[in-house]
Amino acid sequence: MTSPARRCSLLGAAAASVILTGCFPTPPPSPEPGPRTFYVSPLGDDAAAGTSLRSPWRTIGRVNREDLEPGDVVAFEGGGTFGGELQLFAEDSGTDAAPVVVTSYGTGRATVSAGDGVGITSYNSEGITLEHLAVVGSGHETNDSHGVQFYNDLPGDVVLEAVRVDDVRISGFGHWGLLLGSDAGRSGYTDVRWRQVDSSYNGEGGMLTWGGQPGVNSNVRIRQSTAAFNPGRPELTRNSGNGIVLGNVDDGVIEDSVAHDNGGANTAGEGPVGIWTYDSSRVTIQRNESYANRTGSAADGGGFDLDQNVTDSVVQHNYSHDNHGPGYLLAHRYDTGAHHGNVVRYNVSQNDARKGTGGAFAVWGEVRDADVYHNVVFSTPPPTGSGSAVTVTGGGASGAEVHGVRFSNNVFLVAGGVRLLDVSASQLAAATDLRFEGNDWWGSGGPTRFRWAGTTYLHLGDWRTATGQEQVGGTPVGLTVDPGMVGPGNGPDSYRLLPGSPLADGGLPASHFAPGAELRDYFGREAPRGSAPDVGIHELR
């Protein structure tokens, strides 16, 4: 592709020619060329025009030499395999209305085969759409690159727009399958749409956005996508083996997506998670499933996470199950107020925290002003370690304790003696306004246990009397009853309430924990439907 410097030299030569031969009249301007379609086929010829099915190009190298304009389409023959790295630079940019599109034509999807290198790079370019492609590397153990990468290092806080990845499969790369980021001041991306992406069998992780500062990427949407069997890289000292991660985003969504079987090779002191966000604000994570995620260390390996510096974000209507770590984690290492205003509601955790001593719902470090309500946790004894339904623990910098964290109208179901609650003494030493109110705590097949600052209580009433929890204005509000569900332990539908359930109309009013919120239960029904909310994820009436 012609560089900007080369373009300027060509224009300069042409202008000099006009001045020297000024006796000729100026010709009328040529009409603006329309968008072009370039075809690429394994049977093509790079010396051909490339602009028709009868005269296609043959290689990615020929595409890289062409300066693409807004509205141009590069179409690779479906079923064909094309070796090398496709490169799109700033001069190849499109616009939101007229993107540069790379796609397949004919039957099936074309494959970009990168071998040990990168599959597709978009460097300082915008208005790019990648669709209906397969991008493959030589395998996560031999490849040492990313699959598809968007990178912005433009100085001057430049925000690039309109990045689309739609119906693309990415696999066999040593690092991330799909990556977008910037480390130049507040330069970043906006209006990012990834849909029906399958980024699996890559080493470091499935999909990631990142940046040099919080919130440099904005308006990011990941939908109907999958990240699976991304094992992590054991030589790295940072977490690896993640599924879908939004980093440095202001206004983001991950929805209707799946992350599973990631992370088993991670050996770092910090671990991977299936779906999570960090250094971000106003992120919604909803209607996803995250399961069988692993860690090769003692850290993490969970389903969902609102991590460092996350504010004003919502995790709702998700299903987490059979993960090594917590189903839902709120975590912030430092003694700052940078993790606040978050909500976790109407989610299911089933048999999470399968490794170690953590909780299916876990709060770690300096978490402020968070509301956790209308969730269900179901936990049987893990094969290793000893988990809990809920843990609240200290961590990170000295003084990093919770402030204003409230658990309301949740159902915690345990079997075989699994602890219902474990709140560490280090947290309670400085924690303020940590409240449990209106929850149902139910255990079977063993004693129910509430551990509070090192003291274990076997009955809800004893814990309530000693700590003041599960009371509102001095009135007891918590329950310890069989919730009367369809058949707990068998997926979200098994946590529907049966007629006559003691949890029907048994919750605290929404105004107590979510003033002004427009609530819908896990199954999409408006809540509450009776005189008060039902406890848990299901509105029965």
Side-chain angles (χ1 to χ4, degrees):
M1 298 180 178
T2 304
S3 70
R6 175 63 176 153
R7 283 176 170 171
C8 291
S9 66
L10 290 174
L11 288 172
S17 175
V18 170
I19 293 172
L20 292 173
T21 59
C23 57
F24 296 101
T26 302
S30 300
E32 289 292 326
R36 304 163 296 174
T37 298
F38 298 103
Y39 297 92
V40 191
S41 168
L43 301 179
D45 183 347
D46 284 351
T51 52
S52 75
L53 291 171
R54 294 183 177 181
S55 59
W57 295 333
R58 185 173 61 86
T59 68
I60 287 176
R62 178 62 185 87
V63 177
N64 290 343
R65 294 195 297 271
E66 188 69 25
D67 288 337
L68 300 173
E69 302 294 339
D72 284 352
V73 176
V74 177
F76 291 89
E77 184 175 2
T81 298
F82 303 86
E85 176 186 357
L86 178 63
Q87 299 173 336
L88 303 167
F89 296 116
E91 58 267 30
D92 301 304
S93 292
T95 66
D96 184 22
V100 167
V101 178
V102 181
T103 187
S104 299
Y105 75 91
T107 303
R109 66 183 73 224
T111 297
V112 175
S113 180
D116 293 341
V118 178
I120 300 176
T121 294
S122 172
Y123 178 53
N124 292 337
S125 53
E126 63 184 343
I128 302 297
T129 294
L130 309 177
E131 63 182 21
H132 315 315
L133 299 168
V135 185
V136 300
S138 60
H140 67 79
E141 294 182 345
T142 55
N143 182 282
D144 197 33
S145 301
H146 304 299
V148 176
Q149 58 181 358
F150 294 85
Y151 182 59
N152 175 1
D153 67 356
L154 293 169
D157 299 340
V158 176
V159 178
L160 301 175
E161 300 180 336
V163 171
R164 308 282 187 266
V165 182
D166 193 351
D167 186 29
V168 174
R169 299 174 183 171
I170 309 166
S171 63
F173 293 91
H175 289 280
W176 287 91
L178 177 55
L179 179 74
L180 175 146
S182 169
D183 59 359
R186 292 203 60 80
S187 292
Y189 290 87
T190 190
D191 189 19
V192 177
R193 300 289 184 271
W194 295 348
R195 188 181 73 92
Q196 293 184 353
V197 175
D198 187 333
S199 186
S200 301
Y201 298 97
N202 303 293
E204 193 168 351
M207 297 171 236
L208 170 70
T209 70
W210 65 284
Q213 297 181 29
V216 296
N217 306 304
S218 63
N219 190 12
V220 179
R221 304 289 185 266
I222 301 176
R223 295 187 168 104
Q224 299 172 322
S225 294
T226 299
F229 301 104
N230 301 292
R233 296 174 63 105
E235 77 277 13
L236 297 180
T237 57
R238 63 180 183 274
N239 65 80
S240 65
N242 296 283
I244 303 173
V245 187
L246 287 185
N248 307 89
V249 167
D250 178 14
D251 181 18
V253 173
I254 305 172
E255 64 184 11
D256 302 315
S257 296
V258 179
H260 66 89
D261 292 281
N262 299 292
N266 173 83
T267 58
E270 56 184 53
V273 175
I275 297 175
W276 60 292
T277 184
Y278 69 93
D279 284 353
S280 296
S281 61
R282 299 190 299 127
V283 171
T284 299
I285 298 174
Q286 62 185 2
R287 301 191 304 272
N288 305 287
E289 183 179 7
S290 187
Y291 67 94
N293 295 294
R294 303 286 182 256
T295 179
S297 69
D300 298 315
F304 298 88
D305 177 18
L306 301 181
D307 212 273
Q308 296 292 116
N309 305 315
V310 173
T311 63
D312 300 323
S313 296
V314 177
V315 178
Q316 62 184 3
H317 305 147
N318 299 287
Y319 178 33
S320 175
H321 60 102
D322 301 290
N323 295 290
H324 270 181
Y328 302 89
L329 171 66
L330 303 176
H332 184 71
R333 180 182 301 275
Y334 303 105
D335 184 14
T336 67
H339 193 295
H340 64 84
N342 299 305
V343 173
V344 183
R345 64 188 178 199
Y346 290 105
N347 302 282
V348 173
S349 169
Q350 179 177 292
N351 280 332
D352 287 314
R354 297 290 89 189
K355 181 179 182 181
T357 59
F361 261 80
V363 180
W364 183 86
E366 178 96 356
V367 175
R368 292 176 174 265
D369 188 25
D371 282 293
V372 180
Y373 56 84
H374 283 290
N375 303 283
V376 169
V377 172
F378 175 87
S379 187
T380 58
T384 61
S386 57
S388 303
V390 183
T391 57
V392 183
T393 58
S398 175
E401 280 87 24
V402 300
H403 302 276
V405 176
R406 296 165 292 275
F407 286 77
S408 309
N409 289 5
N410 302 287
V411 179
F412 302 114
L413 301 170
V414 298
V418 174
R419 276 191 306 270
L420 285 163
L421 176 67
D422 190 356
V423 180
S424 69
S426 62
Q427 269 289 6
L428 290 173
T432 58
D433 195 24
L434 170 62
R435 299 298 303 166
F436 294 88
E437 297 171 340
N439 305 287
D440 183 28
W441 309 83
W442 182 247
S444 62
T448 57
R449 291 180 292 160
F450 302 82
R451 188 157 68 181
W452 190 266
T455 299
T456 296
Y457 303 92
L458 298 181
H459 302 286
L460 173 63
D462 295 339
W463 173 53
R464 176 190 288 131
T465 299
T467 65
Q469 296 294 327
E470 291 296 356
Q471 299 181 40
V472 174
T475 300
V477 291
L479 302 171
T480 178
V481 296
D482 186 329
M485 292 174 167
V486 169
N490 295 288
D493 281 337
S494 71
Y495 304 105
R496 291 179 182 270
L497 300 180
L498 293 168
S501 166
L503 303 188
D505 298 341
L508 296 174
S511 59
H512 180 77
F513 55 84
E518 188 174 310
L519 303 183
R520 292 191 175 274
D521 75 4
Y522 183 93
F523 307 100
R525 293 160 58 90
E526 184 179 351
R529 301 175 67 86
S531 59
D534 298 354
V535 180
I537 66 168
H538 176 218
E539 280 291 312
L540 178 61
R541 293 176 186 271

